Amino acid sequence: MTTALHLAYRPQTLQDLVGQSMIQRTLSNSIAQQHIAPAYLFTGSRGTGKTSTARIFAKSLNCLNDDRPTTEPCGKCQSCRFIEISNSLDVTEIDAASHNGVDDARELAQRVNLAPVLGRYRIVIVDECHQLTTQAQNALLKCIEEPPKHVVFILCTTEAHKVLPTIASRCQRFEFRALSVKTIVKHLRWIADTEAIAIQDEALMAIARLCEGGLRDALQLLAQVRLLGEEVTASQVIELAGGIAEADILAMLQAIAASDIFQLLQSARNLMDAGKSPKLILSSLLQTYRDLLIVQSAPNQRHLLISSVSSDQLQAIAQRWSHETIQAGLAQLHVSEGQLRFSPNTQVWLEVCLLNLVPKLTSKRRASSPPELTVHQNNGSSQMTAKKLWQKVIDHAPDNAKQFLSRARMQSFNNDHAVLVVEEQYLERFEANAAKIVRMMQKLVGGNKPMKLEIRAAAIAAL
């Protein structure tokens, strides 16, 4: 039976660790200088090497091929082989998810007092230690604080904030960072070449982006796509991982650019019929629009791209689309993301979002709205909208009058005739102050020609 890739290529020494150079150096120096702490806390996201590092450290401390701890365990002695198969009498591995009670912690505390059988240290590896109950952690506290000289605790967790501060403060803490896309791609290419897996570089890039910094997840996906039996492409990786293929995204983008409403909605409907959720469709479009913006702004930074669309296709689209169109699309997708999150009818909101992405519909909608009337100044040197003129009146008014004037809106103004609409409850007050308002407007517009101000009542909604 073939060994899984993430097991076959599990690191065997600290030098084999991928993407954790600081941890590698620190632990190697601690072994070389014989500065072994009584307890370690390994934290970080899944698949970044916490448990593998704990086992390597245990082998380094107990390797029988050397008369002292070594940074290069042989992997062949009885101690190393037993640690690799989790069958060592000196190394106890505990899954805190299933052994999280206070009785388990007390039993462990009693067991560590025993002297090691083969090696130099009795090592306790507690995986997902945050799942230990508060009582269990307190039961281990004294043991971790002052353990026997031959005992080393290694606590591994993906949620360090759930570990009691009294426990964490007694450990040397190591943060296992998520691996960069570049690091994962380089490692995957080496494994793919070693295993004779035919896969394109863009497919490896897609795997690295999908696994979110976890090397184990990346190896699992690589093992899955190798079963396709042909040269693996990025679209195949994305589709196998449950994403939306490049061809489907391009079909929607082409329909948007051509204002082909039927094709746009039909493409989205086909994806939903295939089991893709509206949220996934919107998220894929959002990533693509974001990549288009990057391609326009920084065309040489292809490593920043995250969508399923290839960089060549993005480059071709970015040359045809304006910067404003992409920005407007991003704004619409951002608004629709919130609507989808809280709406019980996500399919309808997705279709509304897609329609709002069509540029010609947007321009038609703007053209159909009533144009703002302009104010013609007497000197004919410049123009401004009635709305802007009224805003200037408010801005130049005394502070105690600003709030009162904001209750009105200037509907139109043409030379010597202005129409002001106000809420009905303020109509009498505005009529009483009409002369003052006219003087303020004349001062802003200029000229001495008499001005007529017509004040009308309107419903609040109309304002």
Side-chain angles (χ1 to χ4, degrees), residues 197-458:
I197 301 173
I199 184 169
Q200 298 177 0
D201 289 338
E202 289 192 347
L204 293 177
M205 188 77 72
I207 293 175
R209 289 169 182 157
L210 287 168
C211 69
E212 299 179 348
L215 186 57
R216 183 177 62 238
D217 291 354
L219 291 173
Q220 292 276 28
L221 190 51
L222 178 62
Q224 191 174 355
V225 298
R226 75 184 296 186
L227 301 176
L228 291 171
E230 57 187 29
E231 187 178 27
V232 182
T233 64
S235 294
Q236 290 174 325
V237 170
I238 292 167
E239 194 167 356
L240 199 60
I244 298 178
E246 178 188 51
D248 296 321
I249 295 293
L250 288 176
M252 285 193 287
L253 294 178
Q254 290 169 0
I256 290 170
S259 298
D260 190 340
I261 305 302
F262 173 78
Q263 185 59 44
L264 177 59
L265 296 181
Q266 188 62 44
S267 298
R269 189 66 57 85
N270 291 339
L271 287 172
M272 286 185 281
D273 290 344
K276 310 298 183 184
S277 68
K279 182 179 178 182
L280 176 62
I281 297 172
L282 187 141
S283 177
S284 300
L285 280 172
L286 186 60
Q287 291 177 349
T288 306
Y289 270 77
R290 175 257 188 200
D291 282 0
L292 286 172
L293 200 60
I294 289 179
V295 167
Q296 278 194 345
S297 306
N300 296 325
Q301 306 300 321
R302 296 191 175 190
H303 64 281
L304 298 176
L305 305 178
I306 60 174
S307 70
S308 61
V309 182
S310 66
S311 57
D312 293 337
Q313 292 284 3
L314 289 169
Q315 189 72 45
I317 296 171
Q319 290 175 356
R320 298 194 302 269
W321 287 20
S322 68
H323 189 80
E324 292 74 17
T325 299
I326 299 172
Q327 286 277 27
L330 281 169
Q332 179 58 48
L333 289 165
H334 174 69
V335 171
S336 300
E337 196 172 30
Q339 293 167 336
L340 255 67
R341 186 179 295 116
F342 301 108
S343 174
N345 200 338
T346 54
Q347 180 175 330
V348 171
W349 275 115
L350 174 65
E351 292 178 344
V352 170
C353 171
L354 294 177
L355 291 175
N356 285 329
L357 291 175
V358 177
K360 288 186 179 180
L361 286 182
T362 306
S363 61
K364 287 179 182 177
R365 187 160 52 250
R366 289 174 179 167
S368 64
S369 60
E372 286 186 314
L373 297 175
T374 57
V375 178
H376 299 271
Q377 296 187 6
N378 289 345
N379 57 14
S381 61
S382 61
Q383 294 182 335
M384 59 179 160
T385 64
K387 180 180 178 181
K388 289 181 179 178
L389 172 61
W390 185 244
Q391 186 59 49
K392 283 193 173 186
V393 171
I394 296 174
D395 293 341
H396 286 78
D399 292 340
N400 58 358
K402 291 182 185 292
Q403 187 174 1
F404 167 67
L405 293 174
S406 65
R407 301 289 182 179
R409 179 176 66 86
M410 182 170 288
Q411 190 177 61
S412 64
F413 179 79
N414 189 8
N415 293 328
D416 59 349
H417 183 257
V419 178
L420 206 62
V421 291
V422 302
E423 298 178 26
E424 190 169 1
Q425 57 183 326
Y426 297 102
L427 181 61
E428 292 184 3
R429 290 182 60 188
F430 270 91
E431 289 176 343
N433 292 277
K436 294 181 180 179
I437 296 173
V438 168
R439 286 196 296 271
M440 294 173 65
M441 292 172 57
Q442 282 182 324
K443 185 177 180 181
L444 290 172
V445 175
N448 299 319
K449 190 175 181 179
M451 185 180 297
K452 179 182 178 182
L453 177 62
E454 182 181 349
I455 302 176
R456 301 174 184 173

Side-chain angles (χ1 to χ4, degrees), residues 32-141:
Q33 298 172 20
Q34 301 294 297
H35 292 163
I36 310 301
Y40 295 86
L41 179 61
F42 292 171
T43 71
S45 56
R46 69 182 190 276
T48 51
K50 299 183 295 298
T51 306
S52 295
T53 303
R55 289 177 179 169
I56 292 171
F57 195 58
K59 288 193 297 182
S60 296
L61 294 179
N62 279 350
C63 181
L64 302 176
N65 200 35
D66 206 315
D67 57 356
R68 55 181 291 174
T70 175
T71 57
E72 296 182 0
C74 66
K76 298 178 181 179
C77 67
Q78 189 176 10
S79 177
C80 288
R81 286 188 287 108
F82 283 176
I83 291 173
E84 286 180 10
I85 62 176
S86 301
N87 197 28
S88 173
L89 295 174
D90 295 333
V91 178
T92 304
E93 288 192 41
I94 297 175
D95 178 16
S98 55
H99 299 82
N100 58 2
V102 65
D103 292 337
D104 296 310
R106 287 171 179 164
E107 180 184 348
L108 179 61
Q110 293 174 357
R111 194 187 308 168
V112 296
N113 290 319
L114 301 175
V117 178
L118 290 175
R120 306 173 190 86
Y121 293 90
R122 183 170 287 276
I123 301 165
V124 179
I125 301 174
V126 184
D127 202 13
E128 297 301 333
C129 66
H130 65 273
Q131 297 199 32
L132 290 172
T133 64
T134 303
Q135 293 79 3
Q137 292 189 51
N138 283 322
L140 281 177
L141 180 59

